[in-house]
Amino acid sequence: MRVIVSFIVGGLFGLGLLLSGMTDTTKVQGWLDIFGAWDPTLAFVMGGAIIPMAIAWQLTRGRTPVLGTAFPAPPEPRLGRNLILGSVLFGAGWGLAGLCPGPAIASASFGGPTGLVFVVAMVVGMMGAPTVRTRLDRTMAAV
Amino acid sequence: MQSDWIWGLFGGGIIGTAAAIFLLVNGRIMGASGIIGGLVDGSGRSDWAERAALLAGLFIVPAIVAIAMGGSETHLTDNWVVVAIAGLLVGVGTRLANGCTSGHGVCGISRLSLRGIVATVFYIGAGGLTIVIFKHLLGVI
């Protein structure tokens, strides 16, 4: 049952990304292009998504998931080097191509060969991330 | 286009509803990079079927709807080198930061998580700076 719910959730996620225009890299790069032809669409998508999710977080209080045992733990308060460095690297890649992980998968069927190159490179980066994390920790410990 | 923001708000509402269902029913956070990353680095082996099912829906539904709409365009650059570097950066970065636009952005900001808010400020800032440097200064993209 949880697997079926996951499929439906993924389907809705993809539908929302497509309808909102977030699988169009020009709209994403347009949002980041504050000194060019700025496109505010992404802010509306974010706002539209945050509202139902904020209500959902309120509904988790004093309850348990319908098909689960516990809700996610409260957010970790510490920021840390990996959060900042990782977000900067992610933002740079996001700006270069106009794709982030969700839309990359959602557009894979119609994104052509370069869309698949992005997905493969992203997966390689994800596979390498634990090694990068360990190396960083070791380097920082040595300094 | 004038109607773009309406579609943005509507599509965003669907994304948020999907995230809300995933939280309230399965008790999980709908973060794309975490779901993919856990599958490919082996850290999410215990619930691989749920991860795979979500990704299958994320791939199949837009594929069908795009066909029904008469096709869709990503307008992604043809420059394979830029795309490959961008993909690597997105892959490493989101896993180091433990989240992307959906996890830190939608799911983090909506619970007022400091980590989610700070991550979002940094990836939008870095994205904006990248556009300034590589589009306006160097003209590469």
Side-chain angles (χ1 to χ4, degrees), chain A residues 2 6 10 12 24-25 27 33 48-49 53 57 65-67 71 73 76 78-79 86-87 91-92 100 109 114 122 133, chain B residues 4 12-14 16 23-26 50 54 58 62-63 74-75 83 87 93 95 101 107 110-111 115 123 127 130 135-136:
Chain A
R2 286 174 59 103
S6 302
L12 284 172
D24 184 346
T25 60
K27 296 205 79 63
D33 193 3
M53 197 52 191
W57 281 118
V66 178
L67 298 174
F71 283 114
E76 164 94 31
R78 283 215 330 236
L79 297 175
S87 296
C100 50
S109 64
T114 41
M122 179 178 80
R133 190 189 299 248
Chain B
D4 281 8
I14 298 176
L23 178 68
L24 295 173
V25 179
N26 282 17
E50 289 167 37
L54 191 145
L58 181 60
T74 57
H75 301 115
V83 171
R95 291 303 279 159
T101 344
C107 298
S110 60
R111 77 197 298 205
R115 281 173 58 85
Y123 66 68
T130 301
K135 184 182 173 185
H136 296 299

Side-chain angles (χ1 to χ4, degrees), chain B residues 24-90:
Chain B
L24 295 173
V25 179
N26 282 17
R28 305 306 293 262
I29 288 172
M30 192 189 77
S33 59
I35 291 163
I36 306 166
L39 267 187
V40 300
D41 71 11
S43 62
R45 214 169 285 151
S46 60
D47 56 358
W48 70 271
E50 289 167 37
R51 292 167 187 267
L54 191 145
L55 293 178
L58 181 60
F59 171 76
I60 292 167
V61 172
I64 295 168
V65 178
I67 292 168
M69 295 193 320
S72 191
E73 257 295 339
T74 57
H75 301 115
L76 182 62
T77 171
D78 288 330
N79 189 330
W80 288 46
V81 178
V82 169
V83 171
I85 293 170
L88 277 174
L89 287 170
V90 169

Side-chain angles (χ1 to χ4, degrees), chain A residues 31-32 46 76-92 94, chain B residues 33 93-109 112-128:
Chain A
W31 154 261
L32 295 170
M46 267 284 176
E76 164 94 31
R78 283 215 330 236
L79 297 175
R81 183 204 64 223
N82 285 344
L83 182 85
I84 307 292
L85 178 64
S87 296
V88 168
L89 294 178
F90 162 44
W94 193 40
Chain B
S33 59
T94 53
R95 291 303 279 159
L96 270 187
N98 213 3
C100 57
T101 344
S102 45
H104 279 315
V106 174
C107 298
I109 292 175
L112 299 176
S113 151
L114 181 64
R115 281 173 58 85
I117 294 166
V118 169
T120 303
V121 167
F122 274 90
Y123 66 68
I124 289 178

